Amino acid sequence: MFLKSELLESNGSSVTLFQLSALQRIEYITFMASEEKAVSADSDGISDQEMTARLIGSNIRCGARLIAMSL
C-alpha cells in the first residue's frame, strides 16, 4: 500500500504533498494536544485579545507542522 500524493501549484511554483502515515498522524495529534495545553495554560488571567493571539499562533504552528510533515 502506498501513501497518496498530490501536486500543489501556487504562484507558479509546484510541490508534491504526501498523505501522512499512521505514525505521522499520531505524532501530529500529540503535537496538537500539547499546543492546546500550552494555549490554555494560565488562560484565566489573560485578556480576550491575548487569548486570540495565542489561538492564532497555535493555529499557524499546527498548519505549518502539518505541511512540513507532508513534504
Side-chain angles (χ1 to χ4, degrees), residues 12-33:
S13 298
S14 60
V15 65
T16 302
L17 298 177
F18 295 91
Q19 181 182 19
L20 299 183
S21 68
L23 290 175
Q24 286 175 312
R25 291 177 194 187
I26 292 168
E27 181 183 339
Y28 181 68
I29 290 169
T30 303
F31 175 77
M32 285 180 23

Side-chain angles (χ1 to χ4, degrees), residues 9-70:
E9 296 183 21
S10 178
N11 295 329
S13 298
S14 60
V15 65
T16 302
L17 298 177
F18 295 91
Q19 181 182 19
L20 299 183
S21 68
L23 290 175
Q24 286 175 312
R25 291 177 194 187
I26 292 168
E27 181 183 339
Y28 181 68
I29 290 169
T30 303
F31 175 77
M32 285 180 23
S34 67
E35 277 291 314
E36 183 178 342
K37 189 174 183 180
V39 166
S40 64
D42 301 327
S43 62
D44 294 336
I46 63 172
S47 67
D48 289 344
Q49 187 177 15
E50 176 66 25
M51 180 53 88
T52 300
R54 284 186 183 191
L55 289 170
I56 291 171
S58 176
N59 190 20
I60 291 170
R61 283 189 295 277
C62 287
R65 177 79 167 238
L66 181 61
I67 296 298
M69 292 175 79
S70 67

